Amino acid sequence: MSISILNSYLSGIAALVFAAVWVATGTTPTAPEQPDNLLDLTRADSVRVSLFSFQPPDTVRLASGETEWILWRDDNTLTVSEDTLSTTLYYREQSLTAQFGNETYRADSVSIRSKGSVRVITDEFGYRYYRGKVMIKPNQNRNVLDIVNTTDLESYVASVVGSEMDFHEPNALKAQAVVSRTYALWSLKKSPYPDFDLRDHEASQVYIGEIQDKPRYRQAADSTTGEILTWSDHLILAVFSSTCGGATSSNRDVWSGKKHPYLQPQQDAEACSLSPHFNWSYTLKKDEFKKMVLERYGFRYHSAKIRKTSGLRVDSIALKNSSGNTLQFSGNEFRLFINRHTNPLAIRSTKFEWDDVGDEIIIEGRGLGHAVGMCQWGARGLANAGWDYKDILTFYFSGTKVVPLSQFETNQIALYN
């Protein structure tokens, strides 16, 4: 087999061992925009996920079977079809280069679509497998590759269940499936990113691609197919965190903005007590802390005043200098500041106590994450206590219902903004 038509940018390469055709591409018309709070469910059967966006690579290796590869350059395409194919893509000299064996091609972007899954290999994360389509473009601002996976909604949900919750309890996994599906649909409408809907890490939901050796995650998605969480027939913002420490928080207590009626504090009788993050402590050298604050904010720390919510979470921290001036943080802002400059698990939640002891600051707390919405370890504890997944969900998301997407005959659903 040989290339039917060669574009000038092939740099004299005469042939490949697979079938390929260059064709001109046209412009796809843009669908009309929907109202700001209305999601068109006819366009909600797939999601676009930005891969490795926390640590984007400059080189990636890909392999798959029964694959179609499309290389774009200057409004032309090279289409490649083969039973089994592998390549290395890398960012060099402000462009994307694809290497097939000894042959190399420069491209503006590369698209890979497989009937099975595409194996994606990076130095940082090793092997991962993704269903659907993988699109790769050079990011010239960061000198890395932007990689986006477009996959069907249920495959995405199955992966997120396993990526987020490595448990065995079926009802806990089903609860996560409904939450993750609801969050994904919310993101289809609310994502601020033009080229993708979600990221593959904690900024959205953790998504490591197809988990091939643990079918229970796919079973959790399949057994809840199409089920979402609604409040007053509106799609909710279904957020979750690892460990609430015995009580969840109102979204208003953690983030600014409108108070959501379905994100209210819930006492779960320490259902998450088996979590390794239920109790924790962290010791910070006072000199180290002073240096961090001075270098970041030009502020000389002397003492701290802490204000808490009714749920005993840190609402705000006012750092004071010797002159009485203050540097103000919300509890969550302070947690993220410390974690960025010391250890990602230094302050695991805003439910903590602060104690000045000599030359040290001792911080003792409970839980991991923001504690708004569903507690994942709490869901596991409730499942072990015999709770059904729908009961778990309506407990953590007060006043909500679990409903199938097929209920919406107009193929539209409003978001609770």
Side-chain angles (χ1 to χ4, degrees):
M1 293 179 287
S2 62
I3 298 176
S4 301
I5 302 174
L6 287 176
N7 188 273
S8 59
Y9 93 74
L10 294 182
S11 304
I13 302 299
L16 285 175
V17 293
F18 42 71
V21 180
W22 284 100
V23 296
T25 59
T27 302
T28 303
T30 303
E33 293 186 3
Q34 295 293 318
D36 184 56
N37 73 326
L38 203 60
L39 174 65
D40 181 359
L41 295 177
T42 64
R43 301 168 61 191
D45 57 349
S46 65
V47 293
R48 301 170 302 162
V49 189
S50 174
L51 306 182
F52 315 114
S53 56
F54 189 71
Q55 292 179 288
D58 62 4
T59 301
V60 63
R61 297 180 297 281
L62 303 104
S64 63
E66 296 186 75
T67 308
E68 179 184 77
W69 301 63
I70 302 177
L71 284 71
W72 277 273
R73 183 173 173 85
D74 297 333
D75 294 327
N76 293 309
T77 63
L78 171 63
T79 301
V80 179
S81 297
E82 184 56 73
D83 290 341
T84 303
L85 193 62
S86 62
T87 187
T88 299
L89 304 178
Y90 51 90
Y91 181 93
R92 296 290 188 277
E93 298 177 355
Q94 303 294 306
S95 67
L96 171 63
T97 298
Q99 182 171 345
F100 298 92
N102 295 324
E103 315 294 356
T104 60
Y105 303 89
R106 294 181 63 190
D108 298 323
S109 64
V110 174
S111 171
I112 306 101
R113 186 185 296 275
S114 174
K115 291 184 178 180
S117 58
V118 179
R119 184 174 65 182
V120 179
I121 310 166
T122 62
D123 291 338
E124 181 68 26
F125 299 102
Y127 290 75
R128 290 186 179 178
Y129 295 86
Y130 297 95
R131 287 193 167 273
K133 183 177 74 173
V134 177
M135 173 69 77
I136 302 175
K137 297 179 180 179
N139 185 323
Q140 296 181 349
N141 294 324
R142 302 176 66 186
N143 297 328
V144 294
L145 299 176
D146 286 340
I147 307 174
V148 174
N149 174 213
T150 301
T151 189
D152 69 278
L153 177 62
E154 296 303 329
S155 291
Y156 171 76
V157 170
S159 172
V160 172
V161 170
S163 303
E164 284 279 359
M165 185 183 276
D166 190 16
F167 300 154
H168 289 267
E169 294 78 3
N171 279 299
L173 299 178
K174 290 177 185 179
Q176 182 70 58
V178 176
V179 167
S180 294
R181 184 180 298 109
T182 305
Y183 184 85
L185 292 177
W186 176 281
S187 299
L188 285 179
K189 186 63 182 177
K190 288 296 187 179
S191 173
Y193 311 109
D195 296 328
F196 57 90
D197 308 305
L198 300 122
R199 296 185 183 276
D200 68 346
H201 52 76
E202 289 84 352
S204 297
Q205 303 183 105
V206 180
Y207 170 70
I208 61 173
E210 185 180 21
I211 302 174
Q212 299 180 325
D213 59 342
K214 296 180 179 179
R216 62 182 181 272
Y217 305 138
R218 184 78 214 195
Q219 290 166 4
D222 290 345
S223 63
T224 63
T225 298
E227 291 184 351
I228 58 169
L229 275 167
T230 64
W231 188 88
S232 189
D233 293 327
H234 285 62
L235 186 76
I236 72 165
L237 175 60
V239 291
F240 57 91
S241 62
S242 167
T243 309
C244 69
T248 65
S249 293
S250 160
N251 68 294
R252 189 69 178 271
D253 286 343
V254 176
W255 307 306
S256 60
K258 180 181 178 180
K259 190 173 185 178
H260 294 333
Y262 53 84
L263 294 176
Q264 297 305 305
Q266 300 291 341
Q267 300 284 337
D268 70 356
E270 299 186 355
C272 58
S273 59
L274 291 179
S275 168
H277 309 291
F278 187 73
N279 289 300
W280 52 267
S281 65
Y282 185 75
T283 300
L284 186 62
K285 293 292 185 182
K286 202 171 290 185
D287 286 345
E288 179 185 354
F289 178 63
K290 289 179 178 180
K291 182 179 179 182
M292 284 192 302
V293 174
L294 181 62
E295 289 181 350
R296 177 64 180 86
Y297 297 102
F299 188 87
R300 296 186 181 278
Y301 163 77
H302 180 264
S303 62
K305 182 178 180 180
I306 297 176
R307 188 178 70 181
K308 293 190 176 183
T309 68
S310 58
L312 301 181
R313 293 184 179 274
V314 175
D315 178 62
S316 64
I317 294 182
L319 303 183
K320 295 184 178 181
N321 62 17
S322 57
S323 301
N325 297 321
T326 62
L327 178 63
Q328 193 83 14
F329 294 85
S330 72
N332 203 47
E333 288 171 346
F334 183 79
R335 177 177 77 92
L336 296 176
F337 166 66
I338 295 297
N339 292 357
R340 278 195 299 267
H341 290 83
T342 56
N343 183 316
L345 292 178
I347 300 180
R348 305 182 194 190
S349 74
T350 58
K351 194 169 189 174
F352 64 84
E353 301 291 337
W354 170 298
D355 193 12
D356 277 321
V357 181
D359 63 350
E360 295 179 334
I361 299 170
I362 299 176
I363 301 173
E364 295 183 332
R366 277 188 170 192
L368 173 64
H370 52 67
V372 181
M374 189 180 78
C375 171
Q376 292 172 303
W377 277 86
R380 183 189 189 189
L382 294 175
N384 279 325
W387 287 42
D388 179 76
Y389 75 99
K390 291 184 179 180
D391 295 329
I392 294 171
L393 291 170
T394 54
F395 169 73
Y396 281 116
F397 300 95
S398 179
T400 62
K401 293 181 180 179
V402 178
V403 300
L405 287 170
S406 58
Q407 172 179 309
F408 300 91
E409 296 179 356
T410 62
N411 286 322
Q412 293 179 327
I413 184 172
L415 277 60
Y416 186 92
N417 287 334

